Amino acid sequence: MALRRSRWLLRPLVYTTAAAAVSGGVLYISYRPRNIPGSDPAAVPPPTFDENGTIAPPRFPEVKTRAQQIADLKRSAGVRQVLESKNGLISRIFGESHNEEAEGSDEPYDLLVIGGGATGSGIALDAATRGLKVALVERDDFSSGTSSKSTKLVHGGVRYLEKAVWELDYNQYKLVKEALRERKYFLDTAPHLSMWLPIMLPIQKWWQAPYFWMGTKVYDLLAGSEGIESSYFLTKSKALEAFPMLKRSNVVGALVYYDGAHNDSRMNVSLAMTAALYGSTVVNHIEVTGLEKDAFGKLNGARVKDVVQEKNGMKAKEFIIRAKGVINATGPFTDSIRKMDDQKVDEIVAPSSGVHVILPGYYSPSNMGLIDPSTSDGRVIFFLPWQGNTIAGTTDAPTAISQNPIAGEEEINWILSEIRGYLAPDINVRRGDVLAAWSGIRPLVRDPNAKNTESLVRNHLITMSDSGLLTCAGGKWTTYRQMAEESVDEAIKLYGLMTGPVLEVPHVSGTEMVDDAAPLDGTCQTHQVRLIGAHGYSKTLFINLIQHFGVETTVAKHLTDSYGDRAWTVAALSSPTEKRFPVRGIRISELYPFIDGEIRYAVRHEYAQTAVDVLARRTRLAFLNAQAALEALPLVIDLMAEELKWDQKRKNLEWNDTVQFLASMGLAKSKLSVTRKDVESGRAGEYDEHERKLYSRHDQPADMIESDSKFESGQNPMIGIESHANK
């Protein structure tokens, strides 16, 4: 009897204790202190003030010049170059030379990477940090294709997770898990170029709340230690407070989860430049015209030409790059390189167009994104703050492959229509508010070795041809590093390459301190190798720039977020304004914080060779506002002409090429025929009838401006006779 009574007393106690333990565990997991990736202090101490209150800015190692890199490419085939930098003359000699600048190995490269997008640049960095001799060539510019036209997210993909669950698709699950791991590496290796972004998932029906809550919690669980904050629920009032642009009638609450965002093309350029610092030969605007094979039909290099020479009015002579292995990482253009190897090979790329539009920043909060998981045709749309504006997209439709695809009006209008569906009715979503629009080509791939060659690969594909061409295609930005690692692993095995420790590690941070935790012992360490700009970056670095150079606060924040610790160099390359404040930094557009020092830095330290390189991929002005990019073009061309010694013919070519490129960024057709003189005189900024109606441009100041009044002047009975509005 006593035993039964004791059990009766103990049972509630046990249940209560167990419930408390479970609840406490859940609370601890949800709210435990976390080391948030990307929020660590600078890896190296910032410059300190001396007794006079001044800072000695850091001095950073420089990459080889583009001409030196091209000379290295030629040496792989036994051609040597002596570069006379003072008079600009280049003499070519064959065989031995005692000139120091001509010294170097004539051995072929271990790897030649074709393609300078995210994957190709990632492969070059991975191979170089394993002690391999690697070269990378790109026909256009780093990130000139798909890699600059993403949604700017670094994410596992909540929609992929949903498919994995409902379709019981293990490959989808693996893709999400892999991407969530890679998401953390982004913020560890490039904290200045990537950030955490809360994304709202509006709940329109109460039954959706548990479904979405479970999905976001599983997403958190899969992220594990790679995650940041846990997802959370917002009531209707809190959701509208966080995202006041939402339509009230459609919302009963919201869930917020966290993903990553980044500056895609600057990330790509940083990958390429970091690879160059670690010893890779990295050259843009070098076009592959053919592949070289030995007597046994195995690839041993490629024929290339320097496209810049043609732009300068000279004949571009082809030359050969020798390599033990060739990797094809050309994204949508994968099949064109594969057909150079074998004309009869079946195509594996199924190109898909993804259109994005850029709207003014007032369309979304500055620190909160939004996902619409149920559009009118079942696709997903993201609505995200980016670089002070708002990005919306994307579409997904089969397309033809072209170098600069143009976003169609049908796709643009579809995106705007979907936006109207979840924004408040008092917000007029206008076509005239679209500042830029572009189409990126996603290279979905088919496995040529699969039984069903029509089915698309969910993730990426690595395949080898009979002649030894290694192709890496598919995938997405978030998993570029994993794709690069697997490609180099495969290349080492197939080409019989020998990795080893990197004996001469560059001081990327500009200090003598150990730069990275990565032991460069011949294994893959790219998850720990910090990119250029990351070592000295901190959330407060912009203050040092303001105090030392006297740049504007918005400009200083932009420079540190785009260049990390290299912002010191960019600011130093900026012109004095001759004003009390700001002291340095002349804006190339009044609307955005891009300054002249960025153009000089792009040419001297990032291999920018065209105005498009600067406007689209070193700065992001062309992606943010096509009209503003057009108006900045004269200054950009003039500054680049000073750096690169362009003649008038080359400047005219740059003008025409850039205006045509801006057409693919959404520049109005009426502006495609403008001349430089039109821009400099202000005529390029003239607006057509549609633009005129967007705003009250010319009405004089009044309590009610004339164009807003329904009454003729002096006839409004609701306004006093003496009012300016009645006169």
Side-chain angles (χ1 to χ4, degrees):
M1 185 73 177
L3 181 61
R4 185 179 299 173
R5 183 176 298 173
S6 64
R7 287 179 178 174
W8 181 78
L9 291 172
L10 285 174
R11 188 175 297 168
L13 181 62
V14 171
Y15 289 163
T16 303
T17 303
V22 171
S23 300
V26 171
L27 287 172
Y28 174 76
I29 291 173
S30 300
Y31 298 104
R32 69 190 185 280
R34 306 187 189 194
N35 182 23
I36 299 173
S39 64
D40 296 329
V44 298
T48 55
F49 290 89
D50 59 20
E51 62 274 8
N52 297 320
T54 58
I55 294 177
R59 296 180 63 86
F60 301 107
E62 295 183 1
V63 297
K64 291 182 178 180
T65 66
R66 186 174 181 276
Q68 289 171 329
Q69 296 278 42
I70 293 175
D72 287 346
L73 292 177
K74 293 181 177 180
R75 274 202 292 269
S76 70
V79 179
R80 297 218 177 205
Q81 282 190 316
V82 182
L83 305 178
E84 300 292 346
S85 59
K86 290 184 179 180
N87 56 19
L89 296 176
I90 298 179
S91 61
R92 295 174 176 80
I93 58 177
F94 295 81
E96 295 298 325
S97 170
H98 298 289
N99 187 293
E100 290 185 1
E101 289 185 336
E103 292 297 326
S105 173
D106 291 341
E107 291 295 317
Y109 289 98
D110 291 318
L111 290 174
L112 169 62
V113 183
I114 305 174
T119 305
S121 299
I123 290 171
L125 178 60
D126 190 307
T129 52
R130 297 200 208 189
L132 297 176
K133 183 181 179 184
V134 58
L136 179 149
V137 293
E138 161 60 44
R139 177 182 63 179
D140 195 337
D141 185 29
F142 312 118
S143 193
S144 59
T146 306
S147 296
S148 63
K149 298 175 180 178
S150 71
T151 310
K152 322 305 177 191
L153 283 177
V154 184
H155 63 134
V158 289
R159 57 176 176 164
Y160 297 126
L161 178 60
E162 184 180 32
K163 288 181 180 179
V165 172
W166 286 110
E167 299 175 11
L168 298 178
D169 189 335
Y170 181 67
N171 289 328
Q172 292 276 12
Y173 167 81
K174 278 176 50 180
L175 175 61
V176 174
K177 186 68 176 174
E178 176 185 292
L180 289 172
R181 182 186 68 247
E182 295 298 321
R183 186 180 67 174
K184 178 178 182 294
Y185 297 152
F186 260 83
L187 284 104
D188 285 338
T189 59
H192 56 302
L193 293 170
S194 48
M195 57 177 284
W196 290 105
L197 180 67
I199 299 178
M200 180 180 291
L201 185 59
I203 298 172
Q204 299 177 337
K205 306 290 183 182
W206 277 113
W207 63 264
Q208 293 177 328
Y211 178 73
F212 289 163
W213 182 87
M214 181 63 70
T216 56
K217 288 303 176 185
V218 172
Y219 198 61
D220 293 342
L221 182 64
L222 283 180
S225 61
E226 323 293 356
I228 175 178
E229 300 290 346
S230 297
S231 56
Y232 57 90
F233 176 78
L234 289 176
T235 62
K236 178 176 181 176
S237 60
K238 289 295 183 181
L240 292 171
E241 181 181 341
F243 209 115
M245 302 82 177
L246 282 178
K247 184 183 294 184
R248 291 175 173 269
S249 59
N250 278 16
V251 177
V252 297
L255 277 157
V256 176
Y257 70 96
Y258 286 82
D259 249 328
H262 74 140
N263 188 337
D264 52 7
S265 71
R266 285 228 49 86
M267 181 80 176
N268 199 154
V269 171
S270 296
L271 279 169
M273 293 301 102
T274 306
L277 273 182
Y278 277 93
S280 297
T281 304
V282 177
V283 192
N284 56 350
H285 299 286
I286 294 286
E287 182 178 356
V288 173
T289 58
L291 299 177
E292 290 287 304
K293 297 181 180 180
D294 62 18
F296 302 99
K298 296 296 183 180
L299 287 178
N300 63 359
R303 295 189 309 278
V304 300
K305 66 176 182 179
D306 184 2
V307 178
V308 172
Q309 294 296 318
E310 294 179 337
K311 289 180 179 291
N312 286 332
M314 296 180 284
K315 183 178 180 180
K317 294 183 179 180
E318 291 186 354
F319 61 93
I320 294 173
I321 305 171
R322 293 293 181 198
K324 299 173 185 176
V326 180
I327 299 181
N328 174 17
T330 52
F333 303 96
T334 292
D335 286 324
S336 63
I337 300 298
R338 293 176 72 242
K339 286 183 181 295
M340 284 185 185
D341 176 43
D342 180 2
Q343 280 289 338
K344 298 179 181 179
V345 72
D346 293 331
E347 295 185 354
I348 62 172
V349 173
S352 175
S353 170
V355 171
H356 295 82
V357 301
I358 289 288
L359 297 165
Y362 55 72
Y363 270 91
S364 68
S366 61
N367 59 351
M368 177 77 76
L370 184 140
I371 179 174
D372 180 3
S374 55
T375 60
S376 58
D377 61 0
R379 288 181 283 186
V380 171
I381 274 193
F382 286 99
F383 196 63
L384 311 167
W386 184 67
Q387 300 282 306
N389 284 354
T390 301
I391 183 172
T394 178
T395 61
D396 184 9
T399 187
I401 296 175
S402 61
Q403 194 160 356
N404 292 311
I406 295 177
E409 280 298 314
E410 183 178 349
E411 290 90 345
I412 293 172
N413 289 328
W414 180 82
I415 293 173
L416 296 180
S417 175
E418 295 300 323
I419 292 172
R420 292 186 189 101
Y422 55 78
L423 292 189
D426 58 327
I427 299 176
N428 184 15
V429 181
R430 307 178 298 184
R431 177 63 178 85
D433 285 338
V434 175
L435 304 176
W438 68 85
S439 171
I441 300 177
R442 184 185 178 193
L444 303 175
V445 291
R446 308 179 187 92
D447 187 348
N449 300 317
K451 291 182 179 179
N452 180 10
T453 57
E454 291 303 312
S455 60
L456 298 177
V457 176
R458 298 291 188 186
N459 198 343
H460 58 273
L461 174 70
I462 299 175
T463 183
M464 170 76 84
S465 73
D466 293 338
S467 65
L469 177 65
L470 185 66
T471 294
C472 180
K476 60 179 185 175
W477 235 119
T478 306
T479 58
Y480 86 89
R481 195 208 63 82
Q482 181 68 28
M483 294 166 63
E485 179 181 349
E486 293 178 15
S487 297
V488 176
D489 287 344
E490 196 72 10
I492 290 169
K493 179 175 65 176
L494 295 172
Y495 300 133
L497 304 177
M498 296 294 295
T499 62
V502 178
L503 301 178
E504 297 183 7
V505 180
H507 297 292
V508 182
S509 68
T511 71
E512 295 297 318
M513 298 181 61
V514 176
D515 286 343
D516 287 299
L520 302 182
D521 55 4
T523 61
C524 178
Q525 294 294 324
T526 48
H527 61 292
Q528 300 184 87
V529 174
R530 294 185 181 93
L531 302 188
I532 280 180
H535 300 82
Y537 170 76
S538 70
K539 300 289 187 182
T540 57
L541 177 60
F542 76 95
I543 299 175
N544 298 138
L545 288 187
I546 297 170
Q547 293 178 335
H548 186 71
F549 292 106
V551 295
E552 296 175 75
T553 301
T554 53
V555 170
K557 288 182 176 180
H558 154 68
L559 293 182
T560 54
D561 289 344
S562 298
Y563 301 90
D565 57 25
R566 267 38 177 198
W568 289 104
T569 306
V570 179
L573 286 170
S574 302
S575 300
T577 64
E578 309 302 339
K579 299 178 182 177
R580 184 178 179 275
F581 196 86
V583 179
R584 301 189 76 87
I586 297 174
R587 294 196 183 211
I588 64 174
S589 170
E590 295 180 358
L591 301 173
Y592 298 93
F594 306 117
I595 57 174
D596 61 324
E598 296 181 71
I599 302 171
R600 298 185 183 95
Y601 183 85
V603 173
R604 298 184 189 185
H605 302 285
E606 293 182 338
Y607 298 161
Q609 295 294 306
T610 70
V612 173
D613 292 351
V614 169
L615 286 170
R617 295 172 287 269
R618 303 311 186 281
T619 71
R620 306 311 309 273
L621 186 55
F623 279 82
L624 291 168
N625 192 320
Q627 176 69 27
L630 176 67
E631 293 170 4
L633 185 53
L635 176 59
V636 171
I637 289 177
D638 287 347
L639 289 174
M640 294 189 74
E642 291 177 10
E643 295 289 323
L644 296 169
K645 312 304 179 188
W646 287 345
D647 58 19
Q648 188 59 47
K649 186 177 180 181
R650 175 65 192 273
K651 291 169 73 172
N652 293 340
L653 177 67
E654 285 300 312
W655 179 269
N656 294 329
D657 286 352
T658 306
V659 172
Q660 290 305 310
F661 171 81
L662 290 176
S664 70
M665 290 288 105
L667 184 67
K669 292 181 179 179
S670 61
K671 304 296 173 64
L672 297 181
S673 59
V674 299
T675 64
R676 174 171 179 151
K677 188 175 181 181
D678 292 334
V679 171
E680 292 175 330
S681 65
R683 287 198 297 273
E686 293 177 354
Y687 34 85
D688 56 25
E689 183 64 17
H690 174 71
E691 291 178 296
R692 187 187 68 79
K693 293 179 179 179
L694 291 179
Y695 308 100
S696 302
R697 295 182 181 272
H698 303 296
D699 294 342
Q700 295 301 310
D703 292 342
M704 177 177 287
I705 59 178
E706 184 176 346
S707 59
D708 286 341
S709 176
K710 297 180 181 179
F711 302 96
E712 294 182 7
S713 178
Q715 301 298 316
N716 190 342
M718 302 301 294
I719 299 178
I721 193 67
E722 297 301 322
S723 170
H724 290 290
N726 243 344
K727 293 184 178 179

